[in-house]
Amino acid sequence: MDSSDQADRISNLPDVLLVLIVSCLSFKECVQTCVLSKRWRSVYLETRNVSFKETDFLSPSVNANPIRNALGRIVFVDYVRRWVARIHDQPIDTFEISISYPKTYLYVIESLIAFAVRKRVKNLVLDFSNPAWRTFHDVNLDELVVEIPESVYDLATLESLKVCACNKFDPANLSNLGKLKTVSFGWMELTDPEPFLTTSRVESLTINDCWGLEFNMIKGNMREVAIINCEFLLNCIFDLPRVDILKYSGDIFPFEFDKMNTIISEVDLDFRVLDNNNDESDDSNAEGGMLCHLLNNLLDDGGRSATTLTVCPFLLKMIPRSEHPHFLRPMETKHLVLKTELHPREFNGIGLLLMNCPKLETLTIDLLPPSPIAVSFLNVNYIYPQK
């Protein structure tokens, strides 16, 4: 067989299979297939997963220049409009629109949301956050101009929904969406999602950089919960009897745990936002006590355990400073992940955790650069021999 024929086997497939293939690619990769041949120019338009992300179309060098950025955004929006205009009868499963400074293009955004609703999409992403934001303190409230139309709240086909940087968003309006399993809220005021969480069938919840959280309980049948850098105004009780993955990142405040799963597969606690690398702090004893109480309350009281426990450098520095009655108690953890900068102040905390994980089987050390926005660049694993 000729080698050129072998190399072009994919192009010899029927269109229906090619559409399935391109639908498995990221949208950016899908668009790039149009340069392969004239045939692919029509195939890529039939992808079932559509994602219009401003950051995929505009390079960092363009964003750095205000004039080039403005021109680039015009080209990006024009491309989106032309792409949607060419779509007719084919179904779409996933639709994403991600654009910052949306005020200029509100009419386009409204038409894109209407397009997604007409297509009865299963997965919808509406993200109008600004890549320059680092925490919710950076959010310019004047930029929150997009309001979710009623048609989205009535979209019964939705299985996953991500909403970021919208105005007057009320998650309670989502309560009637029986197929909705995954939700993510970010970069906006979120006062009371509790009625929605307790009445819906949501299994995965992410709340990222939201503020004004006045509710005092996170309750529901979610299997996965991630709370990332949010502002809680009240103490918070976690009532999650089915939770399997629990992640928290942000400030320390009084956590309490009510009905929780007996065995949680993964717990990830990251308080590194508080780590200013000061050797001493007037509040360090209190912080150490709160962190030990958190671990005891979550992973000791009631016989609960986490198969995998991930902790941050700040926790390692603070827990040795805890005073009675908040000494750390033994845990059932089998896999311990230590995110560490190997700062001398972390060593006592490392020893304390190892001593209180008598059933430990696997130890992972993530070495982090000394930065508040560190990313792990080295994993060291040690597998404990079975006794």
Side-chain angles (χ1 to χ4, degrees), residues 232-261:
F232 283 85
L233 301 181
L234 303 170
N235 298 350
C236 190
I237 299 173
F238 289 79
D239 186 348
L240 303 167
R242 297 182 65 227
V243 71
D244 196 50
I245 298 175
L246 178 62
K247 298 182 179 181
Y248 178 83
S249 174
D251 292 333
I252 303 174
F253 73 100
F255 293 99
E256 294 295 336
F257 300 94
D258 191 6
K259 299 173 185 176
M260 301 290 288
N261 205 352

Side-chain angles (χ1 to χ4, degrees), residues 73 99-110 128 141-146 165:
R73 281 164 55 85
I99 183 171
S100 59
Y101 305 106
K103 189 174 184 177
T104 308
Y105 300 107
L106 278 178
Y107 69 99
V108 176
I109 291 170
E110 291 172 358
F128 309 105
L141 297 182
D142 291 336
E143 293 182 45
L144 306 185
V145 294
V146 178

Side-chain angles (χ1 to χ4, degrees), residues 246-248 264-272 295 299 306-317 319 331-342 346 349-351 353-354 357 359-368 375-384:
L246 178 62
K247 298 182 179 181
Y248 178 83
I264 306 173
S265 295
E266 182 181 348
V267 171
D268 189 333
L269 302 173
D270 187 355
F271 304 99
R272 204 163 181 235
L295 289 172
L299 302 180
T307 304
T308 299
L309 172 63
T310 301
V311 298
C312 64
F314 182 79
L315 184 143
L316 295 174
K317 293 174 184 177
I319 57 174
M331 299 175 288
E332 301 288 317
T333 296
K334 294 183 178 181
H335 181 195
L336 181 61
V337 181
L338 303 176
K339 293 182 177 179
T340 173
E341 301 166 6
L342 291 183
E346 299 172 19
I350 292 174
L353 277 175
L354 293 176
C357 292
K359 297 186 178 181
L360 194 64
E361 297 175 359
T362 305
L363 175 65
T364 299
I365 298 177
D366 280 359
L367 297 181
L368 304 175
V375 178
S376 62
F377 61 87
L378 177 62
N379 290 334
V380 181
N381 290 281
Y382 179 74
I383 310 299
Y384 280 72

